[in-house]
């Protein structure tokens, strides 16, 4: 694969990427406690993977209420900013480019993870079903649990959330990140506003598609003012379900995904952000993105387009050569293969991923996957 398009450098905003292979956001739940602070172990993990052309951190909560799983790192306290600096220094020493993924889970959380044990926040007081959160049951030990019933944000609280994203983006720059990605995928807060299934609001943030996209617009604009539009990406997970089971994804139903996401992407184009990341459904027999949608995305958005979701190197090359995208992310393969780009370049075999060490724990299954000998 050495001579393939995956190894042709490309420009992302001000950055010249050495290849088109991306480390996508991957929650690994190994921050230091108390305080959800990025640490030396995490710096070692990201350093190992800095041969990626482009890296995005695991989701990092922008405020305490933004957390939905035990031990995920935040980016709202001074200690957390200091912790992230270890990660960005390590990656920069290896010549990598790394953005922070700004995350707010909204209703996909549990009272025990919320300040004061309060209800999680959401566009409307509708609990997520078909989805689990992960709570701490004893120090270092945890269990899956159903999300708690959320409470609806007031209109002025929604506006405060926009400012929290802007502040988190400032914190990301202070921590040495090269830019930020706004997590608008996978049924979390921004996605909960976009979907009519989870957004029953009657103010300017609910009702029409334009209103349901207002939070996305305001956050994207506010964060672009902080980091610059050329250092900004947005992640969506448009779901084109073919069965009723598929239609419920993180407890959230996507209606009219083509129209919804083309409209959403028009907003990103207006703001002029550097890239759009599309997370495709990644479970077994998951529905694929229709080619009509991929073409519509390409003709709507002039920035870089990044695809993820069960990609092989061959499939990644096809998507780039078809003109639909520019960058390809490999999630589980990058967890298990710190030297993934070298392995792809040389057509070497890949280590299998161990699902039992994905979330939480030590360096085992985190920084001890071997490079190819
Ligand atoms: C362990 C794990 C954690 C993940 N955490 C995040 C996350 O924090 N933010 C996000 O946007 N996507 C997250 N994802 C989705 C991945 O970024 C990616 O889209 C997905 O793994 C599909 O790619 P793959 O088939 O190459 O693994 C996660 C996936 C896995 C397996």
């Amino acid at each position: 694969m050495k001579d393939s398009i995956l190894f042709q450098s490309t420009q992302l905003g001000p950055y010249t990427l050495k290849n088109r292979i991306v480390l996508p956001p991957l929650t690994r739940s190994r921050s230091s406690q108390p305080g959800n602070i990025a640490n030396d172990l995490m710096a070692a993990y990201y350093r190992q993977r800095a041969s990626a052309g482009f890296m995005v951190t695991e989701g990092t909560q922008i405020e305490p209420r933004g957390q939905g799983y035990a031990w995920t790192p935040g980016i709202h306290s001074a200690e957390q900013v200091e912790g992230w600096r270890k990660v960005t220094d390590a990656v920069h020493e290896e010549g990598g480019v790394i953005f922070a993924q700004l995350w707010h889970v909204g209703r996909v959380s549990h009272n025990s993870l919320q300040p004061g044990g309060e209800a999680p926040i959401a566009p409307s007081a509708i609990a997520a079903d078909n989805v689990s959160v992960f709570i701490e049951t004893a120090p270092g030990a945890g269990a899956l649990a159903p999300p708690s019933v959320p409470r609806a944000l007031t209109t002025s609280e929604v506006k405060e959330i926009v400012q929290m994203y802007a502040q988190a983006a400032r914190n990301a720059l202070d921590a040495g990140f090269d830019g930020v990605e706004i997590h608008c995928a996978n049924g979390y807060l921004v996605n909960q506003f976009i979907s009519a299934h989870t957004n029953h609001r009657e103010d300017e943030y609910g009702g029409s598609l334009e209103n349901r996209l207002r939070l996305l617009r305001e956050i994207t604009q506010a964060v672009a003012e902080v980091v610059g539009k050329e250092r900004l990406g947005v992640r969506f997970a448009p779901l084109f379900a073919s069965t009723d089971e598929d239609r419920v994804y993180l407890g959230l139903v996507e209606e009219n995904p083509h129209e919804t996401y083309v409209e959403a992407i028009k907003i990103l184009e207006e703001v002029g952000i550097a890239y759009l990341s599309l997370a495709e459904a990644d479970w077994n027999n998951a529905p694929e993105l229709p080619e009509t949608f991929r073409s519509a995305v390409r003709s709507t958005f002039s920035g870089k387009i990044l695809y993820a979701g069960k990609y092989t190197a061959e499939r990644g090359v096809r998507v780039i050569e078809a003109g639909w995208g520019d960058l390809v992310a490999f999630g589980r393969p990058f967890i298990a293969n710190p030297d993934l780009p070298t392995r792809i370049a040389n057509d070497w075999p890949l280590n299998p991923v161990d699902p039992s060490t994905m979330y939480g724990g030590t360096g085992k299954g985190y920084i001890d996957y071997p490079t190819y000998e």
Side-chain angles (χ1 to χ4, degrees):
M1 282 274 153
K2 241 185 230 87
D3 300 323
S4 75
I5 187 130
L6 289 176
F7 293 93
Q8 286 175 21
S9 91
T10 189
Q11 200 67 23
L12 183 70
Y15 307 109
T16 305
L17 308 184
K18 56 192 174 240
N19 60 53
R20 290 151 182 263
I21 296 174
V22 177
L23 175 76
L26 293 161
T27 289
R28 304 302 308 278
S29 307
R30 281 166 169 86
S31 68
S32 293
Q33 301 305 316
N36 300 316
I37 300 164
N39 51 37
D40 291 322
L41 181 66
M42 291 168 60
Y45 164 84
Y46 284 102
R47 179 193 292 276
Q48 286 178 340
R49 287 158 182 78
S51 61
F54 181 56
M55 310 165 81
V56 186
T57 67
E58 61 209 281
T60 175
Q61 56 267 9
I62 62 159
E63 61 136 336
R65 299 176 302 177
Q67 182 175 12
Y69 307 85
W71 317 313
T72 57
I75 193 154
H76 48 86
S77 76
E79 294 76 17
Q80 290 165 346
V81 171
E82 278 314 298
W84 279 118
R85 182 157 285 282
K86 297 178 181 174
V87 171
T88 59
D89 282 348
V91 167
H92 291 150
E93 273 167 32
E94 305 299 326
V97 176
I98 185 164
F99 281 27
Q101 191 189 45
L102 303 184
W103 192 20
H104 198 306
V105 298
R107 67 178 195 157
V108 183
S109 185
H110 190 270
N111 293 40
S112 70
L113 291 161
Q114 294 292 311
E118 289 190 8
I121 56 171
S124 301
I126 306 166
D129 47 17
N130 293 303
V131 45
S132 295
V133 294
F134 188 80
I135 59 172
E136 185 169 62
T137 50
L144 292 172
S148 303
V149 179
R151 72 165 178 91
L153 290 162
T154 66
T155 305
S156 64
E157 285 175 325
V158 177
K159 295 183 196 296
E160 285 166 19
I161 296 267
V162 175
Q163 291 318 310
M164 288 177 192
Y165 273 92
Q167 183 57 47
R170 260 176 237 120
N171 295 349
L173 293 183
D174 286 349
F177 282 107
D178 300 306
V180 302
E181 172 176 302
I182 308 169
H183 193 350
C184 303
N186 298 354
Y188 298 118
L189 185 67
V190 180
N191 201 169
Q192 289 157 30
F193 273 83
I194 294 174
S195 168
H197 171 72
T198 39
N199 181 345
H200 293 187
R201 299 181 70 85
E202 288 174 359
D203 63 2
E204 73 243 46
Y205 294 99
S208 65
L209 179 57
E210 188 189 352
N211 281 357
R212 285 182 279 119
L213 292 173
R214 190 176 308 281
L215 181 64
L216 168 75
R217 181 189 289 279
E218 291 183 357
I219 292 172
T220 308
Q221 286 170 337
V223 173
E225 273 174 34
V226 173
V227 299
K229 59 188 187 342
E230 68 287 353
R231 288 182 179 76
L232 176 56
V234 165
R235 190 170 218 214
F236 291 136
L239 182 64
F240 289 75
S242 49
T243 67
D244 281 342
E245 275 153 46
D246 281 342
R247 228 176 291 282
V248 180
Y249 181 49
L250 285 180
L252 177 153
V253 176
E254 295 283 0
E255 273 147 36
N256 310 319
H258 185 105
E259 181 203 0
T260 302
Y261 283 100
V262 169
E263 281 309 306
I265 292 163
K266 282 183 192 161
I267 292 173
L268 308 186
E269 178 68 9
E270 270 174 48
V271 179
I273 67 169
Y275 76 95
L276 163 67
S277 171
L278 293 176
E280 297 180 47
D282 56 22
W283 52 91
N284 287 339
N285 303 318
E288 300 219 348
L289 287 180
E291 292 190 6
T292 45
F293 179 69
R294 292 185 197 261
S295 305
V297 171
R298 180 81 284 180
S299 56
T300 306
F301 187 68
S302 59
K304 292 293 192 288
I305 299 174
L306 190 168
Y307 279 105
K310 292 193 301 185
Y311 274 83
T312 58
E314 290 73 19
R315 197 166 151 245
V317 167
R318 279 203 299 279
V319 162
I320 298 177
E321 286 184 344
W324 291 327
D326 308 281
L327 301 163
V328 185
F330 301 89
R332 287 159 291 189
F334 231 136
I335 289 177
N337 297 274
D339 55 344
L340 186 69
T342 313
R343 289 187 189 233
I344 292 176
N346 294 293
D347 305 304
W348 289 338
L350 302 185
N351 300 321
V353 72
D354 174 4
S356 74
T357 50
M358 271 187 192
Y359 303 102
T362 60
K364 185 174 176 299
Y366 191 51
I367 56 165
D368 63 355
Y369 281 105
T371 55
Y372 188 78
E373 299 299 345

